[in-house]
Amino acid sequence: MAGKKQIAADGLEYEEEIDGTTDRMGSLSLDGGKSSSKSSGSCTYQSTKTKHKIQRFYHCKDCFTSEHYICCESCKKHCHEGHNVKDLGEINGYCDCGLSSCSTSCKLGSKCTHDQFGDDYIKQGHYKCHTCWGETSSFGCCKFCAKECHSGHKLVYREPSSFYCDCGKSKHKLGACTYLTTGTKKFNQQFYRCYTCFSAPNEGCCYQCMIHCHNGHNIKYAGKISSFCDCGLDGCAISCQLKA
């Protein structure tokens, strides 16, 4: 259900929309690892790497793109000083700040989540870009891409759910044909029939191809359906201009 427009903490304007969530644990774990570690002058990632260990952890709301990213006590003091940090107590995990090389400005919050984790579904807040994918598409982008790639677009914020960034999947090419990210796998998206180009009744194109490849053609909106873009597949009578 769409809500009123709001301004996020990162300066992005969005229309709030609530979606169901699917729980997924990232670096944070709730069992195993019986020993406790105390803070020293260095990041605990140097000794633990990605092995989970019980120690005091913090979540930095200013830097981390997922609620399950955490940092050790040393990084809280040296990398996240003055940030909006929540004390999580002693839990089992490893330091995500150390995993991102402990930059003073914590680079973990400044990367596309698809660039970091690929097609892994990560629980995170994200945005639907109506400018790029239409108003009913299931495609979306992470917080970083919303700010860096989709600034000025019509964005709808979604509450944290299991998600990967389609902007990163398409290598940050704005206005790209959805076939770049889906291939022949079907996804829910706005779909259009082009009677000028397609002969088969079930063939059609995505929102962007409708605008850029089939402009002025005999087009009919087919609704939000599970599909892949036949224009990107090269089933179209013209060459898809958004595939390369």
Side-chain angles (χ1 to χ4, degrees), residues 74-94:
S74 181
C75 285
K76 179 252 185 182
K77 294 178 180 179
H78 298 286
C79 302
H80 302 272
E81 184 180 4
H83 292 191
N84 184 7
V85 173
K86 180 181 179 180
D87 187 345
L88 302 176
E90 290 197 350
I91 57 176
N92 198 29
Y94 61 82

Side-chain angles (χ1 to χ4, degrees), residues 25-44:
M25 304 305 290
S27 61
L28 189 153
S29 175
L30 297 179
D31 55 14
K34 299 300 183 182
S35 61
S36 175
S37 70
K38 301 297 181 181
S39 174
S40 63
S42 61
C43 171
T44 57

Side-chain angles (χ1 to χ4, degrees), residues 35-99:
S35 61
S36 175
S37 70
K38 301 297 181 181
S39 174
S40 63
S42 61
C43 171
T44 57
Y45 183 81
Q46 294 181 21
S47 60
T48 69
K49 303 302 180 185
T50 56
K51 184 178 180 180
H52 290 80
K53 187 173 183 179
I54 293 177
Q55 55 186 297
R56 183 168 292 278
F57 279 113
Y58 301 83
H59 172 75
C60 180
K61 296 181 180 180
D62 293 334
C63 296
F64 297 142
T65 54
S66 168
E67 64 184 68
H68 295 305
Y69 294 149
I70 53 182
C71 67
C72 68
E73 190 163 5
S74 181
C75 285
K76 179 252 185 182
K77 294 178 180 179
H78 298 286
C79 302
H80 302 272
E81 184 180 4
H83 292 191
N84 184 7
V85 173
K86 180 181 179 180
D87 187 345
L88 302 176
E90 290 197 350
I91 57 176
N92 198 29
Y94 61 82
C95 179
D96 290 292
C97 185
L99 180 64

